[in-house]
Amino acid sequence: MATTHDSALKCAHCGEDCTDHSFRIESLAFCCAGCKTVYQLLNQQGLCAYYELNEQPGATLKVAVRKDKFAFLDDDAIARQLINFRDDGQTRICFYLPHIHCSSCLYLLENLRKLQEGVLSSRVDFARKEVTIAFDHRIVSLRRIAELLTETGYEPYISLAAMKGAKPGVDRSLIYRLGVAGFCFANIMLMSFPEYLGLESADRSLQGMFRWLNFMLSLPVFLYSAYPFYASAWKGLRHRFLNIDAPIALAVAITFGRSVYEVVTGTGSGYFDSMTGIVFFMLAGKVAQDKTYRQLAFDRDYTSWFPVAVSVLKDEQEVPVALPAVQPGDTMLIHHGELIPADGILTRGAGLIDYSFVTGESAPVEKEMGELVYAGGRQQGANIEVLVTREVAQSYLTQLWNQDAQRKKSDKDKDSFVHLLSQFFTWIVFSIAGVTALYWSFVDASVIWNAVTAILIVACPCALLLSGTFTNGNILRILGRNRFYLRDAQAIEDIAQIDHIVFDKTGTLTAVQDTDVQFEGAILTLKQEQRIAELAAQSNHPLTRIMASRLPRKSDLRVAGYREHTGLGIEGFVNGVLVQLGSLRFVSGVAPGQGIATRVYVAYDRRPVGYYTFVNRYRDGVADLATRLQKKYPLSLVSGDNNSEAHRVRALLGNKAELLFQQQPADKLHHIQSLQEQGRSVMMIGDGLNDAGALQQSHVGIALAEDTNNFTPASDAILEAKQLPLLDRFIQLCKANRRIIIASFCLSILYNLIGIYFAVQGLLSPMIAAILMPSSSLSILLITYGSSQLAAWRLKL
Amino acid sequence: MTVIILLLAASISVSAIFLAGFIWCVRHKQYDDEFSPPVRILFDDKPKA
């Protein structure tokens, strides 16, 4: 939304609009005291290059972090499970910092030792968004380190999952294999040149040496580099399935076998160059495709959401306790904005719990003392105390999760069309080989072995695999550049095949933070609205906070006699006029009927004038997206929310769309299942834990995230929320992927036909093979890259 | 023609050294994070203002 602020002043630290102009240092403006403090701190230490490297690199510090948030790090038992290493003089810890995003972050974080005495060194792993800090624990505590990071805007994310210890290391074996294959391939090519160019008879002794050297050099490729293909082929065969790696493994083995035979018997130079070449190119394709996004996790469980520790009250003292150690009977103290990690009974305070992540219900739920609260909700407002009734591992949320996790994707084993093509291809090659063998057995039996092996060598489906892996790799990269991250290449094909799209509402079509305020009732003057807004700004209740931010404000108003009636509403004299906000009973004394939407009633000067309702705003561009998608796909909506917005959704998704409200997580899953039973390939787009089951069940589950650093449910793809309007173009690109692969496959068949033309006659010389193979590989590489770039360019991605 | 054998030995050993260097690089995590090192090298320590 284009707002016309009185000035477009941006905070020098974080780049947010400066609504308050009181935070200034010379010519620089800041949005809040926190940002200003960070600037001063960095300025003192001569670290202002932070601001020179990138514009406004910081994170906003408007929302203050609770002072004792990291108190649990003082607890030795908890700390010991988080740190990587400790000896007498130093401790090393690795923190995950979601805000890391640019070179300024790198600069600041690696200069931490200048900001805090006792920090010995710090090193950033940019790809993983992690920083490893070594510090002297005699000088500075772990808690202080976490607080320092938080103060500078890099709040570490410490979840229960971090406590489970060792993270899987990076798998580098493919890069080693590629390096070895490249080394051997290049040397073999070098030593094959004399053979191509023809040797004089005087150099026969050299020829033998070249051949044996080639043999030696091909061994590591055959035994080590090509191993992934054997493993995959063997795995496929064990499951009685001929995948694309099977003919490749066969071709590599036959090429190697025939070459060794030729060298040993002295009849020829073999095809070592071709063999190592295709292994090298195929590995390069695999590396390009497997270059996944390490900082994104697609398989997450509930432990990624849960905090490491929670404050437990023991003898009136707040003690941080590690989550697994929380027992039924403990009393947890939940602060504003914290997640309730275990089911329990509310024993003190007014609960206002946001379950949007678990249930999809957008409005926070009010809970009174004595009521049951379930794990997974976030408390809004004042602190509450909760008496734990169930252990963390047995809470409702955890069980919901486990129940979903057991559901396996039954139809996920279906073959990729590349595999189907390769099967088809393999049978044709075998039949050509059979016919050739039959022909030569009548004409000249001595040529059989020569011709048949040559066919199998030349008709290796490596070009098909190459076109598949390179196209997929490039498409994944293009999508990733557009903040749409797919789990693997299979997801591209799955997306191309979907024929039904199911949306979640809250957090998917609508933005959770973006709420519009609408007033129903008597017409208010601007002055009246300003006074209502001023009163609303006094309270911490989430609804009044939204009102305060959406309604027009004027700073010279005075509020006197402000009173808050828990569970009812607020009142106060704004410039002498009594304004009351709250429930219908509070404002007018009338008992409330059955309200469907969340409302805040207003009494102005003791007279009820109407009420405010809160509607989620639909994301920008979603309406256009829905219009475009309607034409091509049936759409559905499954929402955990009530149906108060049914007419708006209907207008959005069209008349044919199927709308389901008040859906429990299990209902959503069953809905997907029933669509699948009708033979549909379903794409589910959701954001919360309540969608987790449906995301797993669907053919393609896309988890929407405001920020891809946030934690999302397990899914096939993660899409940044801002990019949702591009969804239809992403689908088109995935469809283009299939066409590109088929086109380049046809081209590779052309190469194969040329090769087979020589091979069936028993005339395939190493020279022809050596020209044909790399040139087909290279041209496929160029064509797949070029056409996928072209497709993306035409779709403006 | 013995010079060719000498040249061969030399060229293979040179490329083997490069292969060893490559493996050493991968092993020392140089291929794990491709963003930080090229940026890190450009940071210089300014004297305190």
Side-chain angles (χ1 to χ4, degrees):
Chain A
M1 203 174 69
T3 47
T4 44
H5 273 278
D6 46 348
S7 73
L9 213 51
K10 296 253 194 276
C11 174
H13 177 73
C14 68
E16 293 211 353
D17 287 336
C18 297
T19 44
D20 189 333
H21 292 197
S22 56
F23 305 107
R24 281 183 166 272
I25 297 175
E26 291 160 18
S27 65
L28 297 167
F30 298 90
C31 67
C32 58
C35 289
K36 190 176 157 186
T37 315
V38 179
Y39 179 82
Q40 284 169 328
L41 183 71
L42 298 187
N43 201 14
Q44 272 167 22
Q45 302 300 325
L47 293 176
C48 275
Y50 181 67
Y51 298 101
E52 287 157 22
L53 291 163
N54 292 275
E55 277 185 19
Q56 298 139 0
T60 181
L61 292 154
K62 265 183 193 157
V63 183
V65 174
R66 186 167 59 84
K67 202 172 118 266
D68 296 332
K69 182 161 181 184
F70 293 105
F72 63 88
L73 291 176
D74 283 339
D75 185 295
D76 205 42
I78 296 172
R80 220 176 310 140
Q81 295 193 58
L82 293 169
I83 58 177
N84 303 0
F85 168 83
R86 170 173 280 178
D87 68 9
D88 294 340
Q90 68 163 297
T91 301
R92 260 207 301 276
I93 175 115
C94 183
F95 280 128
Y96 173 67
L97 311 178
H99 183 65
I100 293 181
H101 71 289
C102 68
S103 49
S104 291
C105 306
L106 196 72
Y107 174 77
L108 178 62
L109 291 169
E110 299 206 338
N111 278 306
L112 272 185
R113 62 198 152 76
K114 293 188 184 165
L115 295 178
Q116 174 67 51
E117 193 194 356
V119 175
L120 302 171
S121 72
S122 48
R123 201 161 177 89
V124 173
D125 185 331
F126 195 82
R128 287 170 168 256
K129 296 185 192 267
E130 283 174 355
V131 62
T132 306
I133 300 172
F135 61 95
D136 189 334
H137 52 252
R138 291 166 302 189
I139 301 174
V140 61
S141 70
L142 180 58
R143 175 179 171 182
R144 175 68 204 130
I145 299 279
E147 284 171 352
L148 173 73
L149 289 169
T150 310
E151 281 161 23
T152 46
Y154 295 89
E155 187 184 337
Y157 187 92
I158 306 171
S159 75
L160 192 55
M163 270 173 96
K164 285 198 284 193
K167 277 176 234 153
V170 190
D171 184 18
R172 304 194 194 94
S173 69
L174 215 53
I175 299 180
Y176 289 128
R177 291 183 208 276
L178 180 68
V180 170
F183 164 78
C184 297
F185 169 54
N187 279 297
I188 289 173
M189 280 302 264
L190 186 73
M191 270 175 279
S192 301
F193 263 106
E195 196 86 47
Y196 301 155
L197 304 174
L199 285 165
E200 287 170 27
S201 55
D203 302 329
R204 286 288 166 215
S205 61
L206 275 180
Q207 187 185 41
M209 195 181 70
F210 284 142
R211 286 176 178 178
W212 280 102
L213 264 174
N214 279 349
F215 168 63
M216 307 276 274
L217 281 167
S218 70
L219 275 175
V221 178
F222 181 68
L223 297 175
Y224 175 68
S225 296
Y227 178 77
F229 301 104
Y230 310 143
S232 157
W234 176 238
K235 210 171 116 194
L237 286 177
R238 262 213 333 239
H239 292 98
R240 307 182 149 275
F241 171 62
L242 196 62
N243 62 14
I244 190 163
D245 289 326
I248 285 169
L250 183 74
V252 169
I254 286 181
T255 317
F256 184 75
R258 173 164 166 177
S259 306
V260 172
Y261 171 81
E262 284 187 2
V263 169
V264 170
T265 57
T267 48
S269 62
Y271 302 91
F272 293 122
D273 45 354
S274 305
M275 186 201 91
T276 50
I278 57 169
V279 172
F280 173 73
F281 281 117
M282 286 188 299
L283 282 173
K286 260 197 199 304
V287 170
Q289 189 184 308
D290 288 359
K291 219 170 173 281
T292 44
Y293 329 94
R294 255 177 289 146
Q295 75 271 32
L296 298 170
F298 289 93
D299 295 298
R300 291 193 171 116
D301 62 12
Y302 67 94
T303 55
S304 306
W305 275 279
F306 278 21
V308 165
V310 65
S311 302
V312 168
L313 289 174
K314 281 186 181 151
D315 309 325
E316 302 295 309
Q317 293 283 314
E318 235 182 274
V319 186
V321 171
L323 214 48
V326 173
Q327 293 295 324
D330 288 349
T331 301
M332 301 183 293
L333 182 68
I334 309 290
H335 304 85
H336 168 69
E338 277 186 343
L339 191 107
I340 300 170
D343 299 350
I345 296 167
L346 190 63
T347 52
R348 185 183 291 176
L352 186 69
I353 299 163
D354 173 12
Y355 278 113
S356 60
F357 196 69
V358 182
T359 60
E361 176 76 43
S362 54
V365 183
E366 298 202 21
K367 293 273 180 190
E368 285 173 16
M369 272 185 258
E371 277 193 272
L372 205 60
V373 288
Y374 290 109
R378 262 177 212 287
Q379 163 66 1
Q380 310 280 326
N383 296 354
I384 53 170
E385 290 177 20
V386 175
L387 180 71
V388 179
T389 54
R390 270 189 190 159
E391 277 175 55
V392 173
Q394 287 170 359
S395 71
Y396 167 71
L397 181 71
T398 319
Q399 283 175 355
L400 182 75
W401 190 274
N402 291 340
Q403 179 193 338
D404 288 334
Q406 283 163 5
R407 229 172 258 117
K408 282 264 178 278
K409 286 193 178 181
S410 51
D411 55 342
K412 266 286 156 168
D413 301 331
K414 77 181 153 54
D415 329 333
S416 147
F417 84 100
V418 172
H419 287 303
L420 291 175
L421 273 181
S422 88
Q423 279 183 350
F424 182 62
F425 185 84
T426 310
W427 292 121
I428 291 184
V429 170
F430 276 130
S431 40
I432 293 177
V435 170
T436 313
L438 208 64
Y439 171 80
W440 286 112
S441 66
F442 290 115
V443 180
D444 182 356
S446 68
V447 188
I448 295 180
W449 150 257
N450 200 342
V452 169
T453 48
I455 288 172
L456 293 179
I457 290 168
V458 95
C460 158
C462 58
L464 177 58
L465 183 74
L466 278 177
S467 63
T469 50
F470 276 106
T471 317
N472 288 340
N474 203 29
I475 297 277
L476 287 177
R477 257 198 312 283
I478 292 169
L479 292 175
R481 212 169 53 209
N482 286 285
R483 311 285 165 84
F484 184 36
Y485 305 97
L486 301 187
R487 178 204 285 264
D488 53 21
Q490 182 61 40
I492 300 178
E493 280 178 41
D494 292 340
I495 289 175
Q497 284 169 358
I498 57 128
D499 53 15
H500 195 114
I501 302 179
V502 180
F503 288 98
D504 168 50
K505 187 174 80 68
T506 313
T508 304
L509 293 179
T510 65
V512 177
Q513 294 89 341
D514 238 6
T515 311
D516 270 343
V517 180
Q518 282 173 358
F519 184 74
E520 308 265 334
I523 297 159
L524 296 177
T525 62
L526 180 65
K527 212 172 175 184
Q528 287 174 323
E529 271 199 301
Q530 284 169 346
R531 288 180 179 173
I532 292 167
E534 198 54 40
L535 181 73
Q538 306 299 314
S539 163
N540 256 337
H541 193 282
L543 293 179
T544 53
R545 282 224 303 258
I546 293 167
M547 284 171 61
S549 66
R550 295 278 172 234
L551 297 178
R553 293 274 298 278
K554 204 162 159 242
S555 49
D556 61 351
L557 296 174
R558 290 266 169 277
V559 181
Y562 172 73
R563 277 174 67 192
E564 206 165 323
H565 303 269
T566 310
L568 290 171
I570 55 174
E571 59 183 350
F573 290 91
V574 187
N575 275 21
V577 183
L578 178 67
V579 181
Q580 291 163 304
L581 295 174
S583 66
L584 184 59
R585 194 211 304 256
F586 175 67
V587 169
S588 61
V590 182
Q594 280 295 333
I596 34 169
T598 316
R599 291 174 179 177
V600 172
Y601 286 87
V602 185
Y604 190 84
D605 207 6
R606 297 173 206 281
R607 208 159 36 80
V609 286
Y611 57 85
Y612 283 96
T613 56
F614 300 86
V615 281
N616 286 132
R617 186 184 294 164
Y618 290 88
R619 291 183 191 280
D620 293 337
V622 160
D624 293 338
L625 172 76
T627 320
R628 291 193 299 269
L629 285 178
Q630 271 173 48
K631 292 175 195 151
K632 293 184 200 150
Y633 302 99
L635 304 178
S636 298
L637 176 105
V638 288
S639 174
D641 223 339
N642 59 48
N643 64 357
S644 63
E645 288 194 31
H647 61 285
R648 286 180 69 193
V649 181
R650 173 66 67 198
L652 195 72
L653 295 183
N655 292 327
K656 277 179 284 177
E658 184 183 13
L659 308 181
L660 297 166
F661 291 97
Q662 279 164 332
Q663 299 283 300
Q664 294 292 310
D667 299 334
K668 293 189 175 188
L669 190 145
H670 292 315
H671 180 65
I672 305 273
Q673 267 175 341
S674 70
L675 284 172
Q676 285 173 333
E677 278 157 20
Q678 293 164 33
R680 301 208 162 270
S681 299
V682 185
M683 174 190 271
M684 168 80 200
I685 302 160
D687 72 310
L689 196 52
N690 57 324
D691 303 316
L695 289 172
Q696 290 269 307
Q697 178 64 36
S698 58
H699 289 88
V700 185
I702 300 179
L704 213 62
E706 292 296 337
D707 174 346
T708 35
N709 303 321
N710 284 354
F711 287 87
T712 51
S715 59
D716 297 306
I718 298 174
L719 172 62
E720 202 171 285
K722 268 188 295 211
Q723 305 283 9
L724 181 64
L726 299 179
L727 184 70
D728 58 327
R729 290 195 235 160
F730 292 145
I731 297 174
Q732 276 174 24
L733 186 65
C734 291
K735 286 185 169 170
N737 175 64
R738 192 191 179 100
R739 289 198 296 274
I740 294 168
I741 293 178
I742 291 175
S744 56
F745 178 54
C746 291
L747 184 85
S748 76
I749 286 184
L750 206 71
Y751 280 109
N752 277 315
L753 286 177
I754 299 170
I756 284 175
Y757 168 77
F758 291 106
V760 289
Q761 301 174 70
L763 293 174
L764 184 73
S765 73
M767 173 106 162
I768 292 172
I771 293 171
L772 216 55
M773 293 217 166
S775 63
S776 80
S777 303
L778 279 175
S779 59
I780 295 265
L781 211 155
L782 289 175
I783 283 174
T784 54
Y785 180 78
S787 43
S788 50
Q789 279 314 107
L790 183 73
W793 177 76
R794 280 182 31 194
L795 290 165
K796 300 195 180 68
L797 287 176
Chain B
M1 287 309 275
T2 46
V3 69
I4 288 196
I5 296 171
L6 216 68
L7 280 174
L8 262 182
S11 82
I12 290 190
S13 40
V14 167
S15 54
I17 289 169
F18 277 105
L19 179 67
F22 173 74
I23 290 172
W24 182 88
C25 289
V26 179
R27 196 158 280 202
H28 285 76
K29 304 180 180 178
Q30 297 197 6
Y31 282 76
D32 289 7
D33 184 359
E34 289 158 15
F35 179 86
S36 325
V39 175
R40 190 177 287 135
I41 200 167
L42 298 175
F43 295 153
D44 38 23
D45 279 340
K46 273 191 210 154
K48 276 187 193 180

